[in-house]
Amino acid sequence: MGPNVAKLLNSAPEMYGVGREEILTRLRAGSNFEQLGVGQRFGIEREGSNLKLFDTKSGVTEVVPRLAEVEADVQDLVEGHMQTMLGVRFLASEYSTGPVHAGRIDSLGIDENGAPVIVEYKRGIDAGVINQGLFYMAWLLDHRDTFRHLVRDRLGAHVAAQVLWSAPRLICVAGDFTRYDIHAVREHRHAIDLVRYRYFGGEHFGLETVASFPGRAAARKSGSRTRGTAKVQQTAAKEEAMAELAAAVDEVLLGFGDDLTKVSNQTYTAYRRMQNYACLVPPKKAKLLVYLKADPATVDLVPGFARDVTGLGHHGTGDLELTLQTERDLERAADYFRQSYTLA
């Protein structure tokens, strides 16, 4: 038995919910670590996955990560703090899909952009978590009025009237995922987030986004060219310049990491990891407005460029507002974008 096999057999049952006998059976049948779907997550196949946490209060003691005792522990913790952890407002737990469909959705919520969210939990690795979530997604899309009524009862009629059905999401929270899971979500038309959890000792809980894909959105039709008087053409030229600036902002906001997705509604486009880190409002006259997750108290507030909008109504999410009018403004905004990205 090689050292990698011994390492996997000794640690996988506790860390990944995969039994020794199951691993041995698959290895004898000719599976390799990659096919097992746990080796790469254990740092055997994938570089950089052996992140360690140390307690430095008195000396240096490693805090060993562990899985939950039961799946319900993870569900209860996340549901109790869903907005903080996932950027999702909690609506219902163990939601019944009725006697015909005969299902029970672990958690239902609505995200900060108004999109419906299904959250499914698994203690360890479970090949069925994505398919199970998509099964519930199909039910949800066929029962939109039921969901709207739930939102209205929990959050009010105003929120219920603005549900973003073009971008429903499935969030899978599990001990780990295989590369086949990651490939599967790339190919699907719905937005899916795969989130790995770990407990660290008795006081810390960690979430890590393994994969986040926005789904396959329909292509937008291009608008027709503007013709007319000199004044109309001048207005069109300004609009075109702002559209080019907006495209540049879009490129920068998506350029911070591969874990970013964006979702648009009628009033803004949100850029998110697990939560929104920036919201871009469509151009108005000769300026763009970007709202960021960054704390206004921790950045330089420049009159005419960056201001604190905490408590002020605006489209999108975030308490820091940037006003962009030129490419120079976009260059100045880069550090603000980066700080917001690290917080999402």
Side-chain angles (χ1 to χ4, degrees):
M1 182 184 296
N4 283 345
V5 178
K7 182 179 181 182
L8 188 63
L9 290 176
N10 290 334
S11 303
E14 171 60 23
M15 291 286 292
Y16 298 96
V18 179
R20 292 170 59 95
E21 293 303 319
E22 181 180 354
I23 294 174
L24 285 171
T25 298
R26 295 188 190 182
L27 288 173
R28 289 172 185 142
S31 295
N32 55 33
F33 285 123
E34 209 171 88
Q35 292 165 332
L36 284 173
V38 293
Q40 73 273 24
R41 297 296 174 210
F42 202 68
I44 296 170
E45 293 288 337
R46 191 182 68 159
E47 182 181 358
S49 62
N50 283 328
L51 178 66
K52 295 185 177 182
L53 179 68
F54 296 90
D55 186 339
T56 60
K57 290 181 179 178
S58 56
V60 176
T61 305
E62 182 176 357
V63 182
V64 179
R66 62 178 176 84
L67 294 179
E69 294 294 329
V70 293
E71 180 182 304
D73 290 345
V74 181
Q75 180 173 347
D76 290 345
L77 181 60
V78 173
E79 286 183 346
H81 307 276
M82 189 170 284
Q83 189 156 5
T84 299
M85 292 184 175
L86 302 179
V88 175
R89 284 178 285 183
F90 173 72
L91 293 174
S93 179
E94 299 297 330
Y95 190 84
S96 173
T97 58
V100 176
H101 190 269
R104 192 170 290 275
I105 299 172
D106 285 350
S107 300
L108 268 178
I110 187 168
D111 74 10
E112 52 200 330
N113 303 312
V117 179
I118 290 172
V119 186
E120 288 294 313
Y121 310 88
K122 296 296 178 185
R123 177 184 175 274
I125 298 174
D126 191 314
V129 63
I130 297 175
N131 288 335
Q132 183 179 354
L134 292 174
F135 178 66
Y136 293 139
M137 179 71 75
W139 177 89
L140 181 64
L141 293 175
D142 285 339
H143 295 78
R144 300 186 183 195
D145 285 342
T146 302
F147 183 79
R148 287 194 192 96
H149 291 156
L150 176 64
V151 175
R152 184 190 61 196
D153 292 343
R154 300 289 193 275
L155 302 175
H158 177 72
V159 178
Q162 299 185 39
V163 175
L164 188 65
W165 287 107
S166 62
R169 296 172 59 193
L170 168 63
I171 300 177
C172 301
V173 180
D176 222 324
F177 304 90
T178 71
R179 66 173 186 156
Y180 305 110
D181 294 328
I182 296 171
H183 176 76
V185 299
R186 286 195 187 105
E187 300 300 317
H188 208 274
R189 64 188 179 92
H190 291 303
I192 304 175
D193 298 295
L194 304 183
V195 180
R196 179 192 299 125
Y197 82 88
R198 281 294 181 276
Y199 284 90
F200 292 86
E203 298 181 352
H204 297 89
F205 180 76
L207 293 176
E208 177 188 6
T209 302
V210 175
S212 181
F213 296 95
R216 297 180 179 179
R220 295 181 179 178
K221 296 182 180 179
S222 58
S224 59
R225 293 185 178 180
T226 302
R227 300 177 184 272
T229 64
K231 184 176 182 180
V232 171
Q233 291 176 349
Q234 184 179 21
T235 300
K238 290 181 180 179
E239 291 176 350
E240 183 177 354
M242 294 312 299
E244 291 177 356
L245 180 59
V249 172
D250 177 83
E251 184 176 356
V252 172
L253 289 174
L254 287 174
F256 284 100
D258 295 333
D259 56 347
L260 286 171
T261 58
K262 69 177 183 178
V263 58
S264 299
N265 60 25
Q266 294 181 345
T267 56
Y268 64 89
T269 296
Y271 299 79
R272 61 176 173 83
R273 299 173 84 180
M274 181 55 60
Q275 303 181 36
N276 291 354
Y277 93 92
C279 290
L280 173 63
V281 177
K284 290 184 178 180
K285 295 183 179 180
K287 66 180 180 180
L288 291 175
L289 297 179
V290 182
Y291 295 95
L292 300 176
K293 188 178 181 65
D295 183 354
T298 65
V299 302
D300 293 330
L301 298 178
V302 181
F305 173 69
R307 71 166 181 150
D308 183 353
V309 292
T310 303
L312 300 180
H314 60 79
H315 296 306
T317 61
D319 292 330
L320 178 65
E321 178 190 82
L322 298 187
T323 300
L324 309 182
Q325 297 176 293
T326 65
E327 290 188 2
R328 173 57 181 159
D329 290 335
L330 178 55
E331 293 174 4
R332 289 200 297 169
D335 288 340
Y336 295 82
F337 292 168
R338 187 175 296 104
Q339 180 173 342
S340 185
Y341 169 78
T342 61
L343 296 173

